[in-house]
Amino acid sequence: MRTSPSTSPTNAPHIRGRWRRIGSAAAATSALLAAGLGTAAHASADTQAAQPKASGKAIAAAVAKAHVQYENACGTPKKGYASCDALRVTGGTTAFQEEQAAKKGVAPATVRPDAASATPTGYGPSDLRSAYGLTSAAASGGSGQTIAIVDAYDDPNAEADLATYRSYYGLSACTTANGCFKKVSQTGSTTSLPSPDSGWAGEISLDLDMVSAIAPNAHILLVEATSPTDANLGTAVNEAVKLGAKFVSNSYGGGESSSDTSFDSSYYNHPGVVITASAGDSGYGAEYPAASKYVTAVGGTKLSKSSTTRGWTESVWNTNSTEGTGSGCSAYDAKPSWQTDTGCAKRMIADVSAVADPATGVSVYDTYGSDGTGWNTYGGTSASAPIIAAVYALAGTPGSSDYPAQYPYGNTSALNDVTSGSNGTCSTSYFCTAGTGYDGPTGLGTPAGTAAFTG
């Protein structure tokens, strides 16, 4: 488990309850071969050119066996602090590993806790683009756009780790030198940065890699808050917008508070800017800032290979009663005019969703801190929030007076409707159970191209 700094600001705000250390997702599969996944040559990493030795149906059946253990990358926060929603796989066999093994006709490798992997163990850019109908858009879109990532503390290895991820998958370089990457503090300084933290460094790597996977032509602005308080994270959001980002991803959150409406107006009310926020990883229950009426609240799914025409299938991500995508009816935030479900009088979470289940998790490269061991697999709604921010960037610049959270509601046919699974028990079924049309855990669905993310 990564650790947080031993000191904290004295002006920490209210407690945001519901913090949990994420534990084991499932028992590891029985002893499996520890063979690697092959040569780390990026020319073949993303295309996966090896001819499958199994049918699509057989591969889908193998992928369904994925079971992993994982932990919350940032650990349990101190009183008054937000938690990141990044979940790092520490053991078991991921869906990607099961798929690769089925194609090769061998037993799958396993993830070993705190052990370096020579090659990825999670889904890469081509997988995510295929799943969400973004292959063409990613190749040609996103140029001229800036996507901001807001996180807490500093990741000293952020740029170097990003370079490794992009090089491995054959993506163009994104560096400070070529103007594609920029890292600043919440005040905009490039030299006076926050203290480093290994847990949030994993979160930062996850966010940077997901933006790169979906929108490789976009520029990336990393804004690091001094600490994960509401005020500091919100100040970092404002700085990202001030510096010109039209797309801002936030992979953190916590329990609601009566102060949330004031935070809305102070930090998240930015017309003409896409602001995405993770729905949370603790199962059914509303969290903030996903509950803000000004953001696109992003839920999480289990994403698996299938023998369908799409080639993929999704259901609500739910590991157990306390581990899964967040959702719910806000206790404080007003319902935006474009949200028309009738069971919740206030803001409903989520709007849309994307992959978040650690068992079907994504490939991330991170080298900072005690468990920054190189290639890792991550899940959590910290994966889905930057994915959706990047999809918006591929779709184009929002209207100057628009709140882009409304865009998917105007074109629901351009989304994959997720109709199975639940994330807990609730009195109003759709708050926690997927079904045809809108539901809390997955919102209106997942991207099927970019058409649902433009006005």
Side-chain angles (χ1 to χ4, degrees):
M1 177 64 67
R2 300 178 182 214
T3 57
S4 298
S6 58
T7 58
S8 61
T10 57
N11 63 339
H14 59 274
I15 299 175
R16 291 201 175 282
R18 292 180 55 79
W19 305 123
R20 296 185 176 92
R21 181 186 184 278
I22 304 298
S24 174
T29 51
S30 56
L32 298 168
L33 292 180
L37 295 180
T39 304
H42 68 70
S44 62
D46 198 35
T47 57
Q48 300 167 4
Q51 183 68 30
K53 294 185 178 181
S55 67
K57 186 175 182 180
I59 291 173
V63 167
K65 298 176 183 178
H67 291 285
V68 300
Q69 295 87 49
Y70 54 86
E71 65 183 8
N72 185 301
C74 300
T76 303
K78 298 177 185 294
K79 178 180 178 180
Y81 282 62
S83 175
C84 75
D85 289 317
L87 305 178
R88 189 179 76 93
V89 171
T90 58
T93 305
T94 68
F96 178 82
Q97 290 174 305
E98 293 281 0
E99 176 191 343
Q100 295 304 296
K103 287 181 176 181
K104 297 174 183 177
V106 300
T110 60
V111 174
R112 293 174 293 164
D114 301 319
S117 174
T119 51
T121 54
Y123 287 135
S126 68
D127 299 303
L128 298 173
R129 296 173 196 167
S130 168
Y132 297 124
L134 300 170
T135 302
S136 296
S140 59
S143 296
Q145 306 291 13
T146 296
I147 305 171
I149 297 297
V150 171
D151 282 313
Y153 302 117
D154 178 41
D155 176 5
N157 297 355
E159 185 171 359
D161 288 348
L162 176 63
T164 298
Y165 179 90
R166 293 178 70 107
S167 175
Y168 184 93
Y169 287 111
L171 308 179
S172 61
C174 187
T175 67
T176 301
N178 69 14
C180 175
F181 177 77
K182 185 175 184 178
K183 180 172 75 170
V184 300
S185 71
Q186 67 185 51
T187 62
S189 174
T190 59
T191 56
S192 181
L193 297 170
S195 60
D197 179 89
S198 60
W200 281 85
E203 171 67 70
I204 289 169
S205 291
L206 168 60
D207 292 342
L208 296 177
D209 292 353
M210 290 307 94
V211 165
S212 297
I214 301 301
N217 298 321
H219 287 189
I220 303 175
L221 171 66
L222 171 60
V223 186
E224 298 179 331
T226 303
S227 67
T229 64
D230 291 315
N232 285 331
L233 289 165
T235 298
V237 171
N238 286 345
E239 185 65 24
V241 176
K242 177 183 175 181
L243 292 175
K246 295 297 183 182
F247 312 89
V248 183
S249 177
N250 304 277
S251 293
Y252 56 84
E256 291 188 283
S257 160
S258 59
S259 299
D260 289 348
T261 53
S262 67
F263 297 144
D264 279 354
S265 57
S266 296
Y267 305 126
Y268 297 102
N269 184 5
H270 293 286
V273 177
V274 170
I275 301 179
T276 63
S278 300
D281 297 341
S282 299
Y284 174 65
E287 291 195 0
Y288 189 86
S292 172
K293 62 183 179 181
Y294 297 122
V295 311
T296 299
V298 186
T301 67
K302 177 183 180 70
L303 173 69
S304 300
K305 285 278 191 177
S306 76
S307 56
T308 63
T309 301
R310 179 187 170 195
W312 300 85
T313 185
E314 289 178 276
S315 59
V316 174
W317 164 45
N318 180 51
T319 300
N320 57 45
S321 61
T322 62
E323 300 172 5
T325 183
S327 72
C329 181
S330 174
Y332 302 102
D333 253 83
K335 198 173 198 69
S337 60
W338 57 84
Q339 199 172 55
T340 59
D341 61 294
T342 58
C344 173
K346 293 188 180 295
R347 170 66 156 122
M348 188 70 196
I349 301 169
D351 296 308
V352 291
S353 52
V355 61
D357 188 344
T360 65
V362 297
S363 173
V364 173
Y365 192 80
D366 169 40
T367 63
Y368 182 74
S370 59
D371 51 13
T373 55
W375 290 109
N376 288 276
T377 296
Y378 274 81
T381 51
S382 277
S384 54
I387 287 173
I388 294 299
V391 175
Y392 271 109
L394 293 180
T397 306
S400 60
S401 62
D402 290 355
Y403 289 98
Q406 69 183 303
Y407 290 169
Y409 291 84
N411 194 357
T412 58
S413 63
L415 295 163
N416 301 303
D417 191 9
V418 181
T419 60
S420 64
S422 68
N423 65 343
T425 302
C426 54
S427 57
T428 304
S429 179
Y430 80 89
F431 285 12
C432 64
T433 303
T436 302
Y438 180 84
D439 57 72
T442 65
L444 297 165
T446 64
T450 63
F453 296 89
T454 184

Coordinates of all heavy atoms in Angstrom, one line a residue, residues 7-81:
T7 N 2.6 14.9 7.1 CA 2.1 16.2 7.5 C 0.9 16.6 6.7 O 0.7 16.1 5.6 CB 3.2 17.3 7.3 OG1 3.6 17.3 6.0 CG2 4.4 17.0 8.2
S8 N 0.1 17.5 7.2 CA -1.1 17.9 6.4 C -1.4 19.3 6.7 O -1.0 19.8 7.8 CB -2.3 17.0 6.8 OG -2.6 17.1 8.1
P9 N -2.1 20.1 5.8 CA -2.4 21.4 6.1 C -3.3 21.6 7.3 O -4.1 20.7 7.6 CB -3.1 21.9 4.8 CG -2.6 20.9 3.8 CD -2.4 19.6 4.5
T10 N -3.3 22.7 7.9 CA -4.2 22.9 9.1 C -5.6 23.4 8.7 O -6.5 23.4 9.5 CB -3.6 24.0 10.0 OG1 -3.4 25.2 9.3 CG2 -2.3 23.5 10.6
N11 N -5.8 23.7 7.4 CA -7.1 24.2 7.0 C -7.9 23.2 6.2 O -8.6 23.5 5.3 CB -6.9 25.5 6.1 CG -6.1 25.1 4.8 OD1 -5.4 24.1 4.8 ND2 -6.3 26.0 3.8
A12 N -7.7 21.9 6.6 CA -8.4 20.8 5.9 C -9.9 21.0 6.2 O -10.3 21.3 7.3 CB -8.0 19.5 6.5
P13 N -10.7 20.8 5.1 CA -12.2 21.0 5.3 C -12.8 19.8 5.9 O -12.2 19.0 6.5 CB -12.6 21.2 3.8 CG -11.6 20.3 3.1 CD -10.3 20.5 3.8
H14 N -14.2 19.8 5.8 CA -15.0 18.7 6.4 C -14.5 17.3 6.0 O -13.9 17.1 4.9 CB -16.4 18.9 6.1 CG -16.7 18.9 4.6 ND1 -16.5 20.0 3.8 CD2 -17.0 17.8 3.8 CE1 -16.8 19.6 2.5 NE2 -17.0 18.3 2.5
I15 N -14.9 16.3 6.8 CA -14.7 14.9 6.4 C -15.6 14.6 5.2 O -16.7 14.9 5.3 CB -14.9 14.0 7.6 CG1 -14.0 14.3 8.7 CG2 -14.8 12.5 7.1 CD1 -14.4 13.5 10.0
R16 N -15.0 13.9 4.3 CA -15.9 13.3 3.2 C -15.9 11.9 3.5 O -15.0 11.1 3.1 CB -15.3 13.6 1.8 CG -15.4 15.1 1.5 CD -15.4 15.3 0.0 NE -15.6 16.7 -0.3 CZ -16.8 17.2 -0.4 NH1 -17.9 16.5 -0.1 NH2 -16.9 18.5 -0.7
G17 N -17.0 11.4 4.1 CA -17.0 10.0 4.6 C -16.8 9.0 3.6 O -16.3 9.2 2.5
R18 N -17.2 7.7 3.8 CA -17.2 6.6 2.8 C -15.8 6.2 2.4 O -15.6 5.5 1.4 CB -18.0 7.0 1.6 CG -19.5 7.1 1.8 CD -20.3 7.4 0.6 NE -20.0 6.5 -0.5 CZ -20.5 5.3 -0.7 NH1 -21.3 4.8 0.3 NH2 -20.2 4.6 -1.7
W19 N -14.7 6.6 3.1 CA -13.4 6.2 2.7 C -13.2 4.8 3.0 O -13.4 4.4 4.2 CB -12.3 7.1 3.3 CG -12.5 8.5 3.0 CD1 -12.7 9.5 4.0 CD2 -12.7 9.2 1.8 NE1 -12.9 10.7 3.4 CE2 -12.9 10.5 2.0 CE3 -12.7 8.7 0.4 CZ2 -13.0 11.5 1.0 CZ3 -12.8 9.6 -0.5 CH2 -13.0 11.0 -0.3
R20 N -12.7 4.0 2.1 CA -12.5 2.6 2.4 C -11.2 2.2 1.7 O -10.8 2.7 0.6 CB -13.6 1.7 1.8 CG -14.9 1.9 2.4 CD -15.9 0.9 1.8 NE -17.2 1.0 2.4 CZ -18.2 1.7 2.0 NH1 -18.0 2.4 0.9 NH2 -19.3 1.7 2.6
R21 N -10.4 1.4 2.4 CA -9.3 0.7 1.8 C -9.8 -0.4 0.9 O -10.5 -1.3 1.4 CB -8.3 0.2 2.8 CG -7.0 -0.4 2.1 CD -6.2 -1.1 3.2 NE -4.9 -1.6 2.6 CZ -4.9 -2.8 2.0 NH1 -5.9 -3.5 1.9 NH2 -3.7 -3.2 1.5
I22 N -9.5 -0.4 -0.4 CA -10.0 -1.4 -1.2 C -9.2 -2.7 -1.1 O -7.9 -2.6 -1.2 CB -10.0 -1.0 -2.7 CG1 -10.8 0.3 -2.9 CG2 -10.5 -2.1 -3.6 CD1 -12.2 0.2 -2.5
G23 N -9.8 -3.8 -0.8 CA -9.0 -5.0 -0.5 C -9.1 -6.0 -1.7 O -9.1 -5.6 -2.8
S24 N -9.2 -7.2 -1.4 CA -9.2 -8.3 -2.4 C -10.4 -8.3 -3.2 O -11.5 -8.3 -2.7 CB -8.9 -9.6 -1.7 OG -9.0 -10.7 -2.7
A25 N -10.3 -8.4 -4.5 CA -11.5 -8.5 -5.4 C -12.0 -9.9 -5.5 O -13.1 -10.1 -5.6 CB -11.1 -7.9 -6.8
A26 N -11.1 -10.8 -5.5 CA -11.4 -12.3 -5.7 C -10.2 -13.1 -5.4 O -9.1 -12.6 -5.5 CB -12.0 -12.5 -7.1
A27 N -10.4 -14.3 -5.1 CA -9.2 -15.2 -4.9 C -8.5 -15.4 -6.2 O -9.1 -15.4 -7.3 CB -9.7 -16.6 -4.4
A28 N -7.2 -15.5 -6.1 CA -6.4 -15.7 -7.3 C -6.7 -17.0 -7.9 O -7.1 -17.9 -7.2 CB -4.9 -15.5 -7.0
T29 N -6.5 -17.1 -9.2 CA -6.7 -18.4 -9.8 C -5.6 -19.3 -9.4 O -4.5 -18.9 -8.9 CB -6.6 -18.3 -11.4 OG1 -5.5 -17.5 -11.7 CG2 -7.8 -17.6 -11.9
S30 N -5.7 -20.6 -9.5 CA -4.7 -21.6 -9.0 C -3.4 -21.4 -9.8 O -3.4 -20.7 -10.8 CB -5.3 -23.0 -9.2 OG -5.6 -23.2 -10.5
A31 N -2.4 -22.0 -9.3 CA -1.0 -21.8 -9.8 C -1.0 -21.9 -11.3 O -1.5 -22.8 -11.9 CB -0.1 -22.9 -9.3
L32 N -0.5 -20.8 -11.9 CA -0.4 -20.7 -13.4 C 1.0 -20.4 -13.8 O 1.9 -20.0 -13.0 CB -1.3 -19.5 -13.8 CG -2.8 -19.7 -13.5 CD1 -3.5 -18.3 -13.7 CD2 -3.4 -20.7 -14.3
L33 N 1.3 -20.6 -15.1 CA 2.6 -20.3 -15.6 C 2.9 -18.8 -15.4 O 2.1 -17.9 -15.5 CB 2.7 -20.6 -17.1 CG 2.5 -22.1 -17.5 CD1 2.6 -22.2 -19.0 CD2 3.6 -22.9 -16.8
A34 N 4.2 -18.6 -15.0 CA 4.6 -17.2 -14.7 C 5.3 -16.6 -16.0 O 6.1 -15.7 -15.9 CB 5.6 -17.2 -13.5
A35 N 5.1 -17.2 -17.1 CA 5.7 -16.7 -18.3 C 5.3 -15.3 -18.6 O 4.2 -14.9 -18.3 CB 5.3 -17.6 -19.5
G36 N 6.2 -14.5 -19.3 CA 5.9 -13.2 -19.6 C 5.0 -13.1 -20.8 O 4.6 -14.2 -21.4
L37 N 4.7 -11.9 -21.3 CA 3.7 -11.8 -22.4 C 4.4 -11.6 -23.7 O 3.8 -11.3 -24.7 CB 2.8 -10.6 -22.1 CG 1.9 -10.7 -20.9 CD1 1.1 -9.5 -20.7 CD2 1.0 -12.0 -21.1
G38 N 5.8 -11.7 -23.7 CA 6.5 -11.6 -25.0 C 7.4 -10.4 -25.0 O 7.6 -9.7 -24.1
T39 N 8.0 -10.2 -26.2 CA 9.0 -9.1 -26.3 C 8.3 -7.7 -26.3 O 7.3 -7.5 -26.8 CB 9.7 -9.2 -27.7 OG1 10.2 -10.5 -27.8 CG2 10.8 -8.2 -27.8
A40 N 8.9 -6.8 -25.5 CA 8.4 -5.5 -25.3 C 8.7 -4.6 -26.5 O 9.3 -3.5 -26.4 CB 8.9 -4.9 -24.1
A41 N 8.3 -5.0 -27.7 CA 8.6 -4.2 -28.9 C 7.3 -3.5 -29.2 O 6.3 -4.1 -29.5 CB 9.0 -5.1 -30.1
H42 N 7.3 -2.2 -29.2 CA 6.0 -1.5 -29.4 C 5.4 -1.7 -30.7 O 4.2 -1.5 -30.9 CB 6.2 0.0 -29.1 CG 7.0 0.8 -30.1 ND1 6.6 1.0 -31.4 CD2 8.2 1.3 -30.0 CE1 7.5 1.7 -32.0 NE2 8.5 1.9 -31.2
A43 N 6.2 -2.1 -31.7 CA 5.6 -2.3 -33.0 C 4.5 -3.3 -33.0 O 3.6 -3.3 -33.8 CB 6.7 -2.7 -34.0
S44 N 4.6 -4.3 -32.1 CA 3.6 -5.4 -32.1 C 2.7 -5.3 -30.8 O 1.7 -6.0 -30.7 CB 4.2 -6.8 -32.1 OG 5.1 -6.9 -31.0
A45 N 3.1 -4.4 -29.9 CA 2.3 -4.4 -28.6 C 0.9 -4.0 -28.8 O 0.0 -4.6 -28.2 CB 3.0 -3.4 -27.7
D46 N 0.6 -2.9 -29.6 CA -0.7 -2.4 -29.7 C -1.5 -3.2 -30.8 O -2.7 -3.3 -30.7 CB -0.7 -0.9 -30.0 CG -2.0 -0.2 -29.7 OD1 -2.6 -0.6 -28.8 OD2 -2.3 0.7 -30.5
T47 N -0.9 -3.7 -31.8 CA -1.6 -4.4 -32.8 C -1.9 -5.8 -32.5 O -2.8 -6.4 -33.1 CB -0.8 -4.3 -34.2 OG1 0.5 -4.9 -33.9 CG2 -0.6 -2.9 -34.6
Q48 N -1.1 -6.4 -31.6 CA -1.3 -7.8 -31.2 C -1.4 -8.6 -32.4 O -2.4 -9.3 -32.7 CB -2.5 -7.9 -30.3 CG -2.4 -7.1 -29.0 CD -3.7 -6.9 -28.3 OE1 -4.7 -7.5 -28.7 NE2 -3.7 -6.2 -27.2
A49 N -0.4 -8.6 -33.2 CA -0.5 -9.2 -34.6 C -0.5 -10.7 -34.6 O -0.8 -11.4 -35.6 CB 0.7 -8.7 -35.4
A50 N -0.1 -11.4 -33.5 CA -0.1 -12.8 -33.5 C -1.5 -13.4 -33.8 O -2.5 -13.0 -33.3 CB 0.4 -13.4 -32.1
Q51 N -1.4 -14.4 -34.7 CA -2.7 -15.1 -35.1 C -3.3 -15.9 -33.9 O -2.7 -16.7 -33.3 CB -2.4 -16.0 -36.3 CG -3.7 -16.7 -36.8 CD -4.5 -15.7 -37.5 OE1 -4.1 -14.7 -38.0 NE2 -5.8 -15.9 -37.5
P52 N -4.6 -15.6 -33.6 CA -5.2 -16.3 -32.5 C -5.3 -17.8 -32.8 O -5.5 -18.2 -33.9 CB -6.6 -15.7 -32.5 CG -6.5 -14.4 -33.1 CD -5.4 -14.5 -34.2
K53 N -5.1 -18.6 -31.7 CA -5.2 -20.0 -31.8 C -6.5 -20.5 -31.2 O -6.7 -21.7 -31.0 CB -4.0 -20.7 -31.0 CG -2.6 -20.4 -31.6 CD -1.6 -21.2 -30.9 CE -0.2 -20.9 -31.6 NZ 0.9 -21.7 -30.9
A54 N -7.4 -19.6 -31.0 CA -8.7 -19.9 -30.4 C -9.7 -19.1 -31.1 O -9.5 -18.0 -31.6 CB -8.7 -19.7 -28.9
S55 N -11.0 -19.6 -31.1 CA -12.1 -18.8 -31.7 C -12.4 -17.6 -30.8 O -12.1 -17.6 -29.7 CB -13.3 -19.7 -31.9 OG -13.8 -20.1 -30.6
G56 N -13.2 -16.7 -31.4 CA -13.7 -15.6 -30.6 C -14.5 -16.0 -29.4 O -14.4 -15.4 -28.3
K57 N -15.3 -17.0 -29.6 CA -16.1 -17.5 -28.5 C -15.2 -18.1 -27.4 O -15.4 -17.9 -26.2 CB -17.1 -18.6 -29.0 CG -18.0 -19.1 -27.9 CD -19.1 -20.0 -28.6 CE -20.1 -20.5 -27.5 NZ -21.1 -21.4 -28.1
A58 N -14.1 -18.8 -27.8 CA -13.2 -19.4 -26.8 C -12.4 -18.4 -26.1 O -12.2 -18.5 -24.9 CB -12.3 -20.4 -27.5
I59 N -12.0 -17.3 -26.8 CA -11.3 -16.2 -26.1 C -12.2 -15.5 -25.1 O -11.8 -15.2 -24.0 CB -10.8 -15.2 -27.2 CG1 -9.7 -15.9 -28.0 CG2 -10.3 -13.9 -26.5 CD1 -9.2 -15.0 -29.2
A60 N -13.5 -15.3 -25.5 CA -14.4 -14.6 -24.6 C -14.6 -15.5 -23.4 O -14.7 -14.9 -22.2 CB -15.8 -14.4 -25.3
A61 N -14.7 -16.8 -23.5 CA -14.8 -17.7 -22.4 C -13.6 -17.6 -21.5 O -13.8 -17.6 -20.2 CB -15.1 -19.1 -22.9
A62 N -12.4 -17.5 -22.1 CA -11.2 -17.4 -21.3 C -11.2 -16.1 -20.5 O -10.8 -16.0 -19.3 CB -10.0 -17.5 -22.2
V63 N -11.5 -15.0 -21.2 CA -11.5 -13.7 -20.5 C -12.4 -13.6 -19.3 O -12.2 -13.0 -18.3 CB -11.9 -12.6 -21.6 CG1 -12.2 -11.3 -20.9 CG2 -10.8 -12.4 -22.6
A64 N -13.5 -14.3 -19.4 CA -14.5 -14.3 -18.3 C -13.9 -14.9 -17.0 O -14.5 -14.8 -16.0 CB -15.8 -15.1 -18.7
K65 N -12.8 -15.6 -17.1 CA -12.2 -16.2 -16.0 C -11.3 -15.2 -15.1 O -10.8 -15.6 -14.1 CB -11.3 -17.4 -16.4 CG -12.0 -18.5 -17.1 CD -11.1 -19.6 -17.6 CE -11.8 -20.7 -18.4 NZ -10.8 -21.7 -18.9
A66 N -11.2 -14.0 -15.7 CA -10.3 -13.1 -15.0 C -10.7 -12.8 -13.6 O -11.9 -12.5 -13.3 CB -10.2 -11.8 -15.8
H67 N -9.8 -12.9 -12.7 CA -10.0 -12.6 -11.2 C -8.7 -12.0 -10.7 O -7.6 -12.5 -10.9 CB -10.3 -13.9 -10.4 CG -11.7 -14.4 -10.7 ND1 -12.9 -13.9 -10.3 CD2 -12.0 -15.5 -11.5 CE1 -13.9 -14.6 -10.8 NE2 -13.4 -15.6 -11.5
V68 N -8.8 -10.9 -10.0 CA -7.7 -10.2 -9.4 C -7.9 -9.8 -8.0 O -9.0 -9.7 -7.5 CB -7.3 -9.0 -10.3 CG1 -7.0 -9.4 -11.8 CG2 -8.5 -7.9 -10.3
Q69 N -6.7 -9.4 -7.4 CA -6.8 -8.7 -6.1 C -6.2 -7.3 -6.4 O -5.4 -7.1 -7.3 CB -5.9 -9.3 -5.1 CG -6.3 -10.7 -4.6 CD -5.8 -11.8 -5.5 OE1 -4.6 -11.8 -5.8 NE2 -6.7 -12.7 -6.0
Y70 N -6.7 -6.3 -5.7 CA -6.2 -4.9 -5.9 C -6.3 -4.1 -4.6 O -6.9 -4.5 -3.6 CB -7.1 -4.3 -7.0 CG -8.6 -4.3 -6.8 CD1 -9.2 -3.3 -6.0 CD2 -9.4 -5.3 -7.3 CE1 -10.6 -3.3 -5.8 CE2 -10.7 -5.3 -7.1 CZ -11.3 -4.3 -6.4 OH -12.7 -4.3 -6.1
E71 N -5.7 -2.9 -4.7 CA -5.7 -2.0 -3.6 C -5.9 -0.6 -4.1 O -5.7 -0.3 -5.2 CB -4.4 -2.1 -2.8 CG -3.2 -1.6 -3.6 CD -1.9 -1.8 -2.8 OE1 -1.9 -2.4 -1.8 OE2 -0.9 -1.3 -3.3
N72 N -6.5 0.2 -3.2 CA -6.6 1.7 -3.5 C -5.2 2.3 -3.5 O -4.4 2.2 -2.5 CB -7.4 2.4 -2.4 CG -7.7 3.8 -2.7 OD1 -6.8 4.6 -2.9 ND2 -9.0 4.2 -2.8
A73 N -4.8 2.8 -4.6 CA -3.5 3.3 -4.8 C -3.1 4.4 -3.8 O -1.9 4.5 -3.4 CB -3.3 3.9 -6.2
C74 N -4.1 5.2 -3.4 CA -3.8 6.3 -2.5 C -4.0 6.0 -1.0 O -3.7 6.8 -0.2 CB -4.6 7.5 -2.9 SG -4.3 8.1 -4.5
G75 N -4.5 4.8 -0.7 CA -4.7 4.4 0.7 C -5.9 5.2 1.3 O -6.6 6.0 0.7
T76 N -6.0 5.0 2.6 CA -7.1 5.7 3.4 C -6.6 7.1 3.7 O -5.6 7.3 4.3 CB -7.4 5.0 4.7 OG1 -7.7 3.6 4.4 CG2 -8.5 5.6 5.4
P77 N -7.4 8.1 3.3 CA -6.9 9.5 3.5 C -7.1 10.0 4.9 O -7.8 9.4 5.7 CB -7.8 10.3 2.5 CG -9.1 9.5 2.5 CD -8.6 8.1 2.6
K78 N -6.4 11.0 5.3 CA -6.6 11.7 6.6 C -7.9 12.4 6.6 O -8.5 12.6 5.6 CB -5.4 12.7 6.8 CG -4.0 12.1 6.9 CD -3.0 13.2 7.0 CE -1.6 12.6 6.9 NZ -1.3 11.7 8.0
K79 N -8.3 12.7 7.8 CA -9.6 13.4 8.0 C -9.6 14.7 7.1 O -8.7 15.5 7.1 CB -9.7 13.8 9.5 CG -11.0 14.6 9.8 CD -11.0 14.9 11.3 CE -12.3 15.8 11.6 NZ -12.3 16.1 13.1
G80 N -10.7 14.9 6.4 CA -10.9 16.1 5.6 C -10.2 16.0 4.2 O -10.2 17.0 3.5
Y81 N -9.7 14.9 3.8 CA -9.0 14.8 2.5 C -9.8 13.9 1.5 O -10.5 13.0 1.9 CB -7.6 14.2 2.7 CG -6.6 15.2 3.3 CD1 -6.8 15.8 4.5 CD2 -5.5 15.6 2.5 CE1 -5.9 16.7 5.0 CE2 -4.6 16.5 3.0 CZ -4.8 17.0 4.2 OH -3.9 18.0 4.7

